[in-house]
Amino acid sequence: MAKRLIVIGAGPMGLAAAYYAAKRGLEVEVIEADDRPGGMAAHFDFEGLSIERFYHFCCLSDADTLALMGELGIADKMKWVATSMGYFVDGQLYKWGEPFSLLFFPKLDLISKIRYGLQMFTATKRSDWRKLDGIAATQWFKDWAGARAYDVLWRRLMELKFHDYADRVSAAWMWQRIKRLGNSRASLFEERLGYIDGGSAALIEALVTAITAMGGKIHLSSPARRILIAEGRVRGVETREGRQIMADEVISTIPTPYVPALLEGAENDLLAPYRRIENIGCVCVVLKLKRSVSSHFWVNISDKRVAVPGLVEFSNLRPLPHAIVYVPFYMPPSHPKFGRADEDFIADSLLAIRLVNPDIGADDLIGAHVGRLRHAQPVCETGFAALIPPAQTSIKGLQIADTCFYYPEDRGVSESIKFAKGMVERAALRAQA
Ligand SMILES: Cc1cc2nc3c(=O)[nH]c(=O)nc-3n(C[C@H](O)[C@H](O)[C@H](O)COP(=O)(O)OP(=O)(O)OC[C@H]3O[C@@H](n4cnc5c(N)ncnc54)[C@H](O)[C@@H]3O)c2cc1C
């Protein structure tokens, strides 16, 4: 009889795990809290436009997404576009992200520019990250490019994204982000990013179709309440409604801050690492506008007048009938601003947009949507490599991971897919034994 696997969470990691496990002959059930699959990459209906709640782009290095799309027969949906980046500093928008823009950037002296350019260039070539794990990203920036470059280019971005954690974020994590984006280029002068035709939902839907075609089941609006354990091995999962689904293997892919509640009564040794990892939340505003803010896909903002680190004009990547701009507000869920009304975040977003492009007026706004996540970004602090527990827990048959388990890689769809493959490999080997 086929061994049974329960996957908790139907984000990219959970669905990829279910897909690869079903292919390996396991009987699969996926339990998802939300009313839709996709996790952080899920779509919503933006007045007739199906689009991600949180912006999603692909990089040329996203090999595991590309391979999975090939297997699912949707490889042709990946589209690559020449994109550009801007930097809005003290009231002025500058082109950014290639050697000439750095050369002509008026806010830094030549020596700082050379030091900054060297840091970015060597970061894209580097592969050893162990030393960077012990260094704070803020220190790494200052050591390479100098205090002035840090103040102009990084300080505001770090403080607005990580708040009190800004000086604790590991350089290894930051380096990996810079490398992924820095290498997604057709040439030194041309950035190249990807989107999926139809959005991330095209990949999510193809996964759901493939899983169910292989006999797998996906339960939506059905949060896991408890992981069932007896005599040192996993037995199954109990859902919020009290239904117990028995299994030989369980893979949890939900954000680790939620894990201790599912393992109530477990030994502190097992729970402590999940309690130790901190996360930043995100309130992400999506605006539909009558006209474009700029020609750039991404605009970093360093301007004291707005508490916004950047704008993502998604319609400059994926062709859409209107200008679609994402404005992310990152902050710990305990931050007093996290619970503010949607209207306040929308008003702040419009303020930032009108700073960057004063021609945009209130009547250019067609629609707005606000998405919230309590655990959107793990804080990968210095020494983080030693804080991550093994995905295979001390409980036989139980694996637990989330987006910080593939540190120093940043959270990403492709990385979650790759990690899922490794977990399924272990479960499948046990099933064969
Ligand atoms: C603002 C933002 C922008 C991003 N941009 C990009 C990008 O441009 N490119 C990119 O590659 N990646 C991007 N990402 C990251 C990407 O979305 C994640 O890496 C990916 O979705 C992680 O997938 P996952 O399955 O590991 O986790 P998640 O997507 O978090 O999925 C976990 C799932 O578990 C479910 N869950 C939680 N609790 C329970 C429970 N008790 N029982 C059952 N289910 C539960 C959740 O509802 C969720 O569906 C972005 C993320 C954010 C927040």
PDB file of all heavy atoms in Angstrom, residues 8-9 11-14 31-34 39-41 54-57 180 223-224 253-254 258 330 373 376 403 406 411-413 416, ligand 1:
ATOM      1  N   ILE A   8       1.455  20.448   4.989  1.00  0.00           N
ATOM      2  CA  ILE A   8       0.734  21.568   5.609  1.00  0.00           C
ATOM      3  C   ILE A   8       1.184  22.841   4.910  1.00  0.00           C
ATOM      4  O   ILE A   8       2.370  23.192   4.925  1.00  0.00           O
ATOM      5  CB  ILE A   8       1.018  21.663   7.124  1.00  0.00           C
ATOM      6  CG1 ILE A   8       0.813  20.290   7.792  1.00  0.00           C
ATOM      7  CG2 ILE A   8       0.123  22.705   7.764  1.00  0.00           C
ATOM      8  CD1 ILE A   8       1.143  20.292   9.296  1.00  0.00           C
ATOM      9  N   GLY A   9       0.214  23.535   4.283  1.00  0.00           N
ATOM     10  CA  GLY A   9       0.520  24.773   3.550  1.00  0.00           C
ATOM     11  C   GLY A   9       0.526  24.534   2.052  1.00  0.00           C
ATOM     12  O   GLY A   9       1.219  23.641   1.568  1.00  0.00           O
ATOM     13  N   GLY A  11       1.411  26.889  -0.284  1.00  0.00           N
ATOM     14  CA  GLY A  11       2.217  27.885  -0.997  1.00  0.00           C
ATOM     15  C   GLY A  11       3.084  27.151  -2.002  1.00  0.00           C
ATOM     16  O   GLY A  11       2.945  25.931  -2.190  1.00  0.00           O
ATOM     17  N   PRO A  12       4.009  27.840  -2.665  1.00  0.00           N
ATOM     18  CA  PRO A  12       4.867  27.179  -3.653  1.00  0.00           C
ATOM     19  C   PRO A  12       5.627  25.984  -3.079  1.00  0.00           C
ATOM     20  O   PRO A  12       5.751  24.949  -3.752  1.00  0.00           O
ATOM     21  CB  PRO A  12       5.834  28.285  -4.072  1.00  0.00           C
ATOM     22  CG  PRO A  12       5.062  29.554  -3.858  1.00  0.00           C
ATOM     23  CD  PRO A  12       4.209  29.308  -2.651  1.00  0.00           C
ATOM     24  N   MET A  13       6.107  26.080  -1.824  1.00  0.00           N
ATOM     25  CA  MET A  13       6.868  24.954  -1.261  1.00  0.00           C
ATOM     26  C   MET A  13       5.959  23.757  -1.021  1.00  0.00           C
ATOM     27  O   MET A  13       6.294  22.623  -1.379  1.00  0.00           O
ATOM     28  CB  MET A  13       7.549  25.360   0.048  1.00  0.00           C
ATOM     29  CG  MET A  13       8.560  24.334   0.533  1.00  0.00           C
ATOM     30  SD  MET A  13       9.185  24.652   2.204  1.00  0.00           S
ATOM     31  CE  MET A  13      10.295  26.024   1.957  1.00  0.00           C
ATOM     32  N   GLY A  14       4.792  24.008  -0.445  1.00  0.00           N
ATOM     33  CA  GLY A  14       3.873  22.922  -0.138  1.00  0.00           C
ATOM     34  C   GLY A  14       3.348  22.253  -1.403  1.00  0.00           C
ATOM     35  O   GLY A  14       3.299  21.016  -1.493  1.00  0.00           O
ATOM     36  N   ILE A  31      -3.073  20.443   3.222  1.00  0.00           N
ATOM     37  CA  ILE A  31      -4.003  21.156   4.112  1.00  0.00           C
ATOM     38  C   ILE A  31      -3.613  22.624   4.103  1.00  0.00           C
ATOM     39  O   ILE A  31      -2.489  22.977   4.458  1.00  0.00           O
ATOM     40  CB  ILE A  31      -3.886  20.608   5.543  1.00  0.00           C
ATOM     41  CG1 ILE A  31      -4.247  19.133   5.553  1.00  0.00           C
ATOM     42  CG2 ILE A  31      -4.789  21.372   6.484  1.00  0.00           C
ATOM     43  CD1 ILE A  31      -3.994  18.496   6.899  1.00  0.00           C
ATOM     44  N   GLU A  32      -4.536  23.487   3.696  1.00  0.00           N
ATOM     45  CA  GLU A  32      -4.214  24.920   3.564  1.00  0.00           C
ATOM     46  C   GLU A  32      -5.216  25.757   4.368  1.00  0.00           C
ATOM     47  O   GLU A  32      -6.429  25.551   4.289  1.00  0.00           O
ATOM     48  CB  GLU A  32      -4.249  25.318   2.076  1.00  0.00           C
ATOM     49  CG  GLU A  32      -4.248  26.798   1.786  1.00  0.00           C
ATOM     50  CD  GLU A  32      -3.061  27.586   2.395  1.00  0.00           C
ATOM     51  OE1 GLU A  32      -1.918  27.148   2.230  1.00  0.00           O
ATOM     52  OE2 GLU A  32      -3.317  28.628   3.032  1.00  0.00           O
ATOM     53  N   ALA A  33      -4.695  26.735   5.109  1.00  0.00           N
ATOM     54  CA  ALA A  33      -5.552  27.593   5.940  1.00  0.00           C
ATOM     55  C   ALA A  33      -6.357  28.583   5.099  1.00  0.00           C
ATOM     56  O   ALA A  33      -7.521  28.874   5.396  1.00  0.00           O
ATOM     57  CB  ALA A  33      -4.682  28.359   6.944  1.00  0.00           C
ATOM     58  N   ASP A  34      -5.738  29.102   4.059  1.00  0.00           N
ATOM     59  CA  ASP A  34      -6.350  30.157   3.247  1.00  0.00           C
ATOM     60  C   ASP A  34      -7.470  29.570   2.361  1.00  0.00           C
ATOM     61  O   ASP A  34      -7.545  28.357   2.181  1.00  0.00           O
ATOM     62  CB  ASP A  34      -5.249  30.775   2.355  1.00  0.00           C
ATOM     63  CG  ASP A  34      -5.559  32.207   1.954  1.00  0.00           C
ATOM     64  OD1 ASP A  34      -6.703  32.653   2.164  1.00  0.00           O
ATOM     65  OD2 ASP A  34      -4.660  32.870   1.404  1.00  0.00           O
ATOM     66  N   GLY A  39      -0.149  30.713  -1.258  1.00  0.00           N
ATOM     67  CA  GLY A  39       0.610  31.352  -0.173  1.00  0.00           C
ATOM     68  C   GLY A  39       0.926  32.802  -0.512  1.00  0.00           C
ATOM     69  O   GLY A  39       0.061  33.548  -0.979  1.00  0.00           O
ATOM     70  N   MET A  40       2.175  33.182  -0.292  1.00  0.00           N
ATOM     71  CA  MET A  40       2.574  34.572  -0.545  1.00  0.00           C
ATOM     72  C   MET A  40       2.483  34.917  -2.033  1.00  0.00           C
ATOM     73  O   MET A  40       2.468  36.085  -2.389  1.00  0.00           O
ATOM     74  CB  MET A  40       4.012  34.798  -0.070  1.00  0.00           C
ATOM     75  CG  MET A  40       4.189  34.712   1.415  1.00  0.00           C
ATOM     76  SD  MET A  40       5.812  35.351   1.884  1.00  0.00           S
ATOM     77  CE  MET A  40       6.574  33.908   2.574  1.00  0.00           C
ATOM     78  N   ALA A  41       2.441  33.898  -2.884  1.00  0.00           N
ATOM     79  CA  ALA A  41       2.384  34.155  -4.325  1.00  0.00           C
ATOM     80  C   ALA A  41       0.947  34.091  -4.869  1.00  0.00           C
ATOM     81  O   ALA A  41       0.728  34.136  -6.081  1.00  0.00           O
ATOM     82  CB  ALA A  41       3.273  33.151  -5.072  1.00  0.00           C
ATOM     83  N   PHE A  54       1.064  40.156  -3.623  1.00  0.00           N
ATOM     84  CA  PHE A  54       2.399  40.723  -3.393  1.00  0.00           C
ATOM     85  C   PHE A  54       3.191  40.532  -4.689  1.00  0.00           C
ATOM     86  O   PHE A  54       3.166  39.434  -5.261  1.00  0.00           O
ATOM     87  CB  PHE A  54       3.085  40.003  -2.224  1.00  0.00           C
ATOM     88  CG  PHE A  54       2.224  39.980  -0.981  1.00  0.00           C
ATOM     89  CD1 PHE A  54       1.431  38.882  -0.680  1.00  0.00           C
ATOM     90  CD2 PHE A  54       2.163  41.088  -0.154  1.00  0.00           C
ATOM     91  CE1 PHE A  54       0.605  38.871   0.434  1.00  0.00           C
ATOM     92  CE2 PHE A  54       1.340  41.090   0.976  1.00  0.00           C
ATOM     93  CZ  PHE A  54       0.560  39.990   1.269  1.00  0.00           C
ATOM     94  N   TYR A  55       3.832  41.633  -5.164  1.00  0.00           N
ATOM     95  CA  TYR A  55       4.549  41.590  -6.445  1.00  0.00           C
ATOM     96  C   TYR A  55       5.456  40.359  -6.556  1.00  0.00           C
ATOM     97  O   TYR A  55       6.120  39.978  -5.584  1.00  0.00           O
ATOM     98  CB  TYR A  55       5.404  42.865  -6.608  1.00  0.00           C
ATOM     99  CG  TYR A  55       6.327  43.099  -5.429  1.00  0.00           C
ATOM    100  CD1 TYR A  55       7.620  42.572  -5.412  1.00  0.00           C
ATOM    101  CD2 TYR A  55       5.893  43.790  -4.313  1.00  0.00           C
ATOM    102  CE1 TYR A  55       8.455  42.742  -4.307  1.00  0.00           C
ATOM    103  CE2 TYR A  55       6.716  43.954  -3.201  1.00  0.00           C
ATOM    104  CZ  TYR A  55       7.987  43.425  -3.210  1.00  0.00           C
ATOM    105  OH  TYR A  55       8.795  43.573  -2.115  1.00  0.00           O
ATOM    106  N   HIS A  56       5.523  39.751  -7.711  1.00  0.00           N
ATOM    107  CA  HIS A  56       6.406  38.604  -7.936  1.00  0.00           C
ATOM    108  C   HIS A  56       7.085  38.694  -9.296  1.00  0.00           C
ATOM    109  O   HIS A  56       6.412  38.762 -10.314  1.00  0.00           O
ATOM    110  CB  HIS A  56       5.625  37.291  -7.835  1.00  0.00           C
ATOM    111  CG  HIS A  56       5.540  36.785  -6.429  1.00  0.00           C
ATOM    112  ND1 HIS A  56       4.757  37.407  -5.483  1.00  0.00           N
ATOM    113  CD2 HIS A  56       6.178  35.767  -5.794  1.00  0.00           C
ATOM    114  CE1 HIS A  56       4.909  36.776  -4.324  1.00  0.00           C
ATOM    115  NE2 HIS A  56       5.761  35.778  -4.490  1.00  0.00           N
ATOM    116  N   PHE A  57       8.403  38.693  -9.296  1.00  0.00           N
ATOM    117  CA  PHE A  57       9.160  38.634 -10.546  1.00  0.00           C
ATOM    118  C   PHE A  57      10.127  37.454 -10.472  1.00  0.00           C
ATOM    119  O   PHE A  57      10.367  36.904  -9.394  1.00  0.00           O
ATOM    120  CB  PHE A  57       9.922  39.943 -10.799  1.00  0.00           C
ATOM    121  CG  PHE A  57      10.936  40.284  -9.735  1.00  0.00           C
ATOM    122  CD1 PHE A  57      12.252  39.851  -9.864  1.00  0.00           C
ATOM    123  CD2 PHE A  57      10.586  41.027  -8.624  1.00  0.00           C
ATOM    124  CE1 PHE A  57      13.201  40.155  -8.884  1.00  0.00           C
ATOM    125  CE2 PHE A  57      11.522  41.327  -7.637  1.00  0.00           C
ATOM    126  CZ  PHE A  57      12.831  40.894  -7.762  1.00  0.00           C
ATOM    127  N   ARG A 180      21.636  37.584  -6.747  1.00  0.00           N
ATOM    128  CA  ARG A 180      20.528  37.062  -7.576  1.00  0.00           C
ATOM    129  C   ARG A 180      20.075  38.118  -8.585  1.00  0.00           C
ATOM    130  O   ARG A 180      19.937  37.850  -9.768  1.00  0.00           O
ATOM    131  CB  ARG A 180      19.362  36.652  -6.662  1.00  0.00           C
ATOM    132  CG  ARG A 180      18.126  36.197  -7.397  1.00  0.00           C
ATOM    133  CD  ARG A 180      17.059  35.697  -6.429  1.00  0.00           C
ATOM    134  NE  ARG A 180      15.892  35.217  -7.135  1.00  0.00           N
ATOM    135  CZ  ARG A 180      14.735  35.872  -7.197  1.00  0.00           C
ATOM    136  NH1 ARG A 180      14.598  37.029  -6.577  1.00  0.00           N
ATOM    137  NH2 ARG A 180      13.710  35.371  -7.862  1.00  0.00           N
ATOM    138  N   PRO A 223      -7.233  24.985   8.180  1.00  0.00           N
ATOM    139  CA  PRO A 223      -5.936  25.089   8.862  1.00  0.00           C
ATOM    140  C   PRO A 223      -5.606  23.865   9.714  1.00  0.00           C
ATOM    141  O   PRO A 223      -6.508  23.280  10.320  1.00  0.00           O
ATOM    142  CB  PRO A 223      -6.085  26.323   9.756  1.00  0.00           C
ATOM    143  CG  PRO A 223      -7.481  26.769   9.661  1.00  0.00           C
ATOM    144  CD  PRO A 223      -8.218  25.958   8.648  1.00  0.00           C
ATOM    145  N   ALA A 224      -4.339  23.512   9.724  1.00  0.00           N
ATOM    146  CA  ALA A 224      -3.894  22.452  10.636  1.00  0.00           C
ATOM    147  C   ALA A 224      -3.919  23.018  12.049  1.00  0.00           C
ATOM    148  O   ALA A 224      -3.528  24.167  12.275  1.00  0.00           O
ATOM    149  CB  ALA A 224      -2.483  22.022  10.276  1.00  0.00           C
ATOM    150  N   THR A 253       5.123  23.395   5.819  1.00  0.00           N
ATOM    151  CA  THR A 253       5.778  24.487   5.069  1.00  0.00           C
ATOM    152  C   THR A 253       5.255  25.848   5.522  1.00  0.00           C
ATOM    153  O   THR A 253       5.465  26.846   4.851  1.00  0.00           O
ATOM    154  CB  THR A 253       5.534  24.328   3.551  1.00  0.00           C
ATOM    155  OG1 THR A 253       4.135  24.522   3.287  1.00  0.00           O
ATOM    156  CG2 THR A 253       5.984  22.974   3.043  1.00  0.00           C
ATOM    157  N   ILE A 254       4.555  25.886   6.639  1.00  0.00           N
ATOM    158  CA  ILE A 254       3.977  27.158   7.092  1.00  0.00           C
ATOM    159  C   ILE A 254       5.066  27.999   7.768  1.00  0.00           C
ATOM    160  O   ILE A 254       6.092  27.459   8.182  1.00  0.00           O
ATOM    161  CB  ILE A 254       2.791  26.919   8.058  1.00  0.00           C
ATOM    162  CG1 ILE A 254       3.266  26.318   9.380  1.00  0.00           C
ATOM    163  CG2 ILE A 254       1.780  25.983   7.413  1.00  0.00           C
ATOM    164  CD1 ILE A 254       2.157  26.112  10.401  1.00  0.00           C
ATOM    165  N   TYR A 258       4.401  29.891  13.417  1.00  0.00           N
ATOM    166  CA  TYR A 258       3.132  29.200  13.685  1.00  0.00           C
ATOM    167  C   TYR A 258       3.340  27.753  14.157  1.00  0.00           C
ATOM    168  O   TYR A 258       2.397  27.085  14.566  1.00  0.00           O
ATOM    169  CB  TYR A 258       2.267  29.157  12.415  1.00  0.00           C
ATOM    170  CG  TYR A 258       1.755  30.502  11.944  1.00  0.00           C
ATOM    171  CD1 TYR A 258       1.856  30.873  10.613  1.00  0.00           C
ATOM    172  CD2 TYR A 258       1.146  31.386  12.823  1.00  0.00           C
ATOM    173  CE1 TYR A 258       1.374  32.112  10.164  1.00  0.00           C
ATOM    174  CE2 TYR A 258       0.669  32.616  12.400  1.00  0.00           C
ATOM    175  CZ  TYR A 258       0.789  32.965  11.063  1.00  0.00           C
ATOM    176  OH  TYR A 258       0.315  34.176  10.631  1.00  0.00           O
ATOM    177  N   TYR A 330       7.124  47.389   5.119  1.00  0.00           N
ATOM    178  CA  TYR A 330       7.586  46.290   5.977  1.00  0.00           C
ATOM    179  C   TYR A 330       7.696  46.789   7.411  1.00  0.00           C
ATOM    180  O   TYR A 330       8.184  47.898   7.642  1.00  0.00           O
ATOM    181  CB  TYR A 330       8.961  45.797   5.519  1.00  0.00           C
ATOM    182  CG  TYR A 330       8.915  44.977   4.255  1.00  0.00           C
ATOM    183  CD1 TYR A 330       9.130  45.554   3.012  1.00  0.00           C
ATOM    184  CD2 TYR A 330       8.657  43.608   4.310  1.00  0.00           C
ATOM    185  CE1 TYR A 330       9.087  44.793   1.848  1.00  0.00           C
ATOM    186  CE2 TYR A 330       8.614  42.846   3.160  1.00  0.00           C
ATOM    187  CZ  TYR A 330       8.831  43.444   1.934  1.00  0.00           C
ATOM    188  OH  TYR A 330       8.781  42.687   0.796  1.00  0.00           O
ATOM    189  N   LEU A 373       0.518  40.597   5.678  1.00  0.00           N
ATOM    190  CA  LEU A 373       1.124  39.336   6.121  1.00  0.00           C
ATOM    191  C   LEU A 373       1.840  39.594   7.441  1.00  0.00           C
ATOM    192  O   LEU A 373       2.634  40.530   7.531  1.00  0.00           O
ATOM    193  CB  LEU A 373       2.191  38.877   5.123  1.00  0.00           C
ATOM    194  CG  LEU A 373       1.803  38.110   3.878  1.00  0.00           C
ATOM    195  CD1 LEU A 373       3.043  37.864   3.040  1.00  0.00           C
ATOM    196  CD2 LEU A 373       1.150  36.782   4.228  1.00  0.00           C
ATOM    197  N   ALA A 376       6.169  37.937   6.759  1.00  0.00           N
ATOM    198  CA  ALA A 376       6.475  38.070   5.333  1.00  0.00           C
ATOM    199  C   ALA A 376       7.948  37.890   5.033  1.00  0.00           C
ATOM    200  O   ALA A 376       8.312  37.541   3.920  1.00  0.00           O
ATOM    201  CB  ALA A 376       6.042  39.457   4.845  1.00  0.00           C
ATOM    202  N   THR A 403      10.623  29.628   4.569  1.00  0.00           N
ATOM    203  CA  THR A 403      11.506  30.293   3.603  1.00  0.00           C
ATOM    204  C   THR A 403      12.891  30.632   4.158  1.00  0.00           C
ATOM    205  O   THR A 403      13.787  30.937   3.384  1.00  0.00           O
ATOM    206  CB  THR A 403      10.862  31.597   3.082  1.00  0.00           C
ATOM    207  OG1 THR A 403      10.639  32.465   4.199  1.00  0.00           O
ATOM    208  CG2 THR A 403       9.551  31.334   2.392  1.00  0.00           C
ATOM    209  N   TYR A 406      16.358  28.011   3.601  1.00  0.00           N
ATOM    210  CA  TYR A 406      17.351  27.959   2.513  1.00  0.00           C
ATOM    211  C   TYR A 406      18.296  29.161   2.554  1.00  0.00           C
ATOM    212  O   TYR A 406      18.903  29.510   1.555  1.00  0.00           O
ATOM    213  CB  TYR A 406      16.700  27.768   1.146  1.00  0.00           C
ATOM    214  CG  TYR A 406      15.403  28.499   0.883  1.00  0.00           C
ATOM    215  CD1 TYR A 406      15.378  29.866   0.635  1.00  0.00           C
ATOM    216  CD2 TYR A 406      14.197  27.803   0.844  1.00  0.00           C
ATOM    217  CE1 TYR A 406      14.188  30.523   0.348  1.00  0.00           C
ATOM    218  CE2 TYR A 406      12.999  28.450   0.572  1.00  0.00           C
ATOM    219  CZ  TYR A 406      13.002  29.811   0.325  1.00  0.00           C
ATOM    220  OH  TYR A 406      11.821  30.463   0.040  1.00  0.00           O
ATOM    221  N   ARG A 411      13.903  34.562   0.624  1.00  0.00           N
ATOM    222  CA  ARG A 411      12.647  33.880   0.282  1.00  0.00           C
ATOM    223  C   ARG A 411      12.391  34.066  -1.210  1.00  0.00           C
ATOM    224  O   ARG A 411      12.567  35.155  -1.756  1.00  0.00           O
ATOM    225  CB  ARG A 411      11.476  34.431   1.092  1.00  0.00           C
ATOM    226  CG  ARG A 411      11.481  35.916   1.142  1.00  0.00           C
ATOM    227  CD  ARG A 411      10.262  36.657   1.349  1.00  0.00           C
ATOM    228  NE  ARG A 411      10.473  37.863   0.552  1.00  0.00           N
ATOM    229  CZ  ARG A 411       9.936  39.022   0.758  1.00  0.00           C
ATOM    230  NH1 ARG A 411       9.097  39.188   1.738  1.00  0.00           N
ATOM    231  NH2 ARG A 411      10.187  40.044  -0.015  1.00  0.00           N
ATOM    232  N   GLY A 412      11.993  33.014  -1.853  1.00  0.00           N
ATOM    233  CA  GLY A 412      11.736  33.085  -3.291  1.00  0.00           C
ATOM    234  C   GLY A 412      11.007  31.828  -3.726  1.00  0.00           C
ATOM    235  O   GLY A 412      11.138  30.768  -3.098  1.00  0.00           O
ATOM    236  N   VAL A 413      10.232  31.947  -4.789  1.00  0.00           N
ATOM    237  CA  VAL A 413       9.437  30.813  -5.265  1.00  0.00           C
ATOM    238  C   VAL A 413      10.368  29.678  -5.697  1.00  0.00           C
ATOM    239  O   VAL A 413      10.186  28.514  -5.322  1.00  0.00           O
ATOM    240  CB  VAL A 413       8.524  31.270  -6.422  1.00  0.00           C
ATOM    241  CG1 VAL A 413       7.885  30.084  -7.118  1.00  0.00           C
ATOM    242  CG2 VAL A 413       7.455  32.224  -5.885  1.00  0.00           C
ATOM    243  N   SER A 416      11.962  27.929  -2.779  1.00  0.00           N
ATOM    244  CA  SER A 416      11.002  27.079  -2.051  1.00  0.00           C
ATOM    245  C   SER A 416      10.751  25.772  -2.808  1.00  0.00           C
ATOM    246  O   SER A 416      10.628  24.701  -2.200  1.00  0.00           O
ATOM    247  CB  SER A 416       9.673  27.819  -1.825  1.00  0.00           C
ATOM    248  OG  SER A 416       9.751  28.644  -0.678  1.00  0.00           O
TER     249      SER A 416
HETATM  250  C1  LIG B   1       5.988  41.287  -0.592  1.00  0.00           C
HETATM  251  C2  LIG B   1       6.579  40.024  -1.141  1.00  0.00           C
HETATM  252  C3  LIG B   1       7.186  40.040  -2.372  1.00  0.00           C
HETATM  253  C4  LIG B   1       7.784  38.882  -2.882  1.00  0.00           C
HETATM  254  N1  LIG B   1       8.362  38.929  -4.114  1.00  0.00           N
HETATM  255  C5  LIG B   1       8.883  37.804  -4.639  1.00  0.00           C
HETATM  256  C6  LIG B   1       9.427  37.804  -5.949  1.00  0.00           C
HETATM  257  O1  LIG B   1       9.436  38.839  -6.622  1.00  0.00           O
HETATM  258  N2  LIG B   1       9.960  36.646  -6.443  1.00  0.00           N
HETATM  259  C7  LIG B   1       9.974  35.503  -5.703  1.00  0.00           C
HETATM  260  O2  LIG B   1      10.452  34.468  -6.181  1.00  0.00           O
HETATM  261  N3  LIG B   1       9.452  35.464  -4.457  1.00  0.00           N
HETATM  262  C8  LIG B   1       8.924  36.585  -3.913  1.00  0.00           C
HETATM  263  N4  LIG B   1       8.377  36.561  -2.664  1.00  0.00           N
HETATM  264  C9  LIG B   1       8.559  35.358  -1.846  1.00  0.00           C
HETATM  265  C10 LIG B   1       7.673  34.214  -2.248  1.00  0.00           C
HETATM  266  O3  LIG B   1       6.335  34.598  -2.251  1.00  0.00           O
HETATM  267  C11 LIG B   1       7.899  33.115  -1.217  1.00  0.00           C
HETATM  268  O4  LIG B   1       9.256  32.732  -1.225  1.00  0.00           O
HETATM  269  C12 LIG B   1       7.077  31.871  -1.495  1.00  0.00           C
HETATM  270  O5  LIG B   1       5.719  32.155  -1.621  1.00  0.00           O
HETATM  271  C13 LIG B   1       7.291  30.927  -0.339  1.00  0.00           C
HETATM  272  O6  LIG B   1       6.489  29.824  -0.518  1.00  0.00           O
HETATM  273  P1  LIG B   1       6.241  28.841   0.676  1.00  0.00           P
HETATM  274  O7  LIG B   1       5.306  27.820   0.201  1.00  0.00           O
HETATM  275  O8  LIG B   1       7.569  28.430   1.188  1.00  0.00           O
HETATM  276  O9  LIG B   1       5.574  29.738   1.823  1.00  0.00           O
HETATM  277  P2  LIG B   1       4.193  30.530   1.812  1.00  0.00           P
HETATM  278  O10 LIG B   1       3.953  31.124   0.485  1.00  0.00           O
HETATM  279  O11 LIG B   1       4.248  31.416   3.003  1.00  0.00           O
HETATM  280  O12 LIG B   1       3.104  29.392   2.057  1.00  0.00           O
HETATM  281  C14 LIG B   1       2.789  28.927   3.333  1.00  0.00           C
HETATM  282  C15 LIG B   1       1.313  28.525   3.347  1.00  0.00           C
HETATM  283  O13 LIG B   1       1.000  27.988   4.620  1.00  0.00           O
HETATM  284  C16 LIG B   1      -0.338  28.372   4.918  1.00  0.00           C
HETATM  285  N5  LIG B   1      -0.583  28.195   6.354  1.00  0.00           N
HETATM  286  C17 LIG B   1      -0.222  28.985   7.397  1.00  0.00           C
HETATM  287  N6  LIG B   1      -0.638  28.453   8.558  1.00  0.00           N
HETATM  288  C18 LIG B   1      -1.285  27.302   8.251  1.00  0.00           C
HETATM  289  C19 LIG B   1      -1.922  26.278   9.013  1.00  0.00           C
HETATM  290  N7  LIG B   1      -1.999  26.313  10.356  1.00  0.00           N
HETATM  291  N8  LIG B   1      -2.464  25.220   8.368  1.00  0.00           N
HETATM  292  C20 LIG B   1      -2.408  25.146   7.007  1.00  0.00           C
HETATM  293  N9  LIG B   1      -1.829  26.075   6.240  1.00  0.00           N
HETATM  294  C21 LIG B   1      -1.260  27.130   6.849  1.00  0.00           C
HETATM  295  C22 LIG B   1      -0.395  29.804   4.443  1.00  0.00           C
HETATM  296  O14 LIG B   1      -1.733  30.243   4.281  1.00  0.00           O
HETATM  297  C23 LIG B   1       0.363  29.705   3.134  1.00  0.00           C
HETATM  298  O15 LIG B   1      -0.496  29.426   2.042  1.00  0.00           O
HETATM  299  C24 LIG B   1       7.748  37.685  -2.137  1.00  0.00           C
HETATM  300  C25 LIG B   1       7.091  37.661  -0.906  1.00  0.00           C
HETATM  301  C26 LIG B   1       6.514  38.821  -0.402  1.00  0.00           C
HETATM  302  C27 LIG B   1       5.837  38.783   0.921  1.00  0.00           C
END
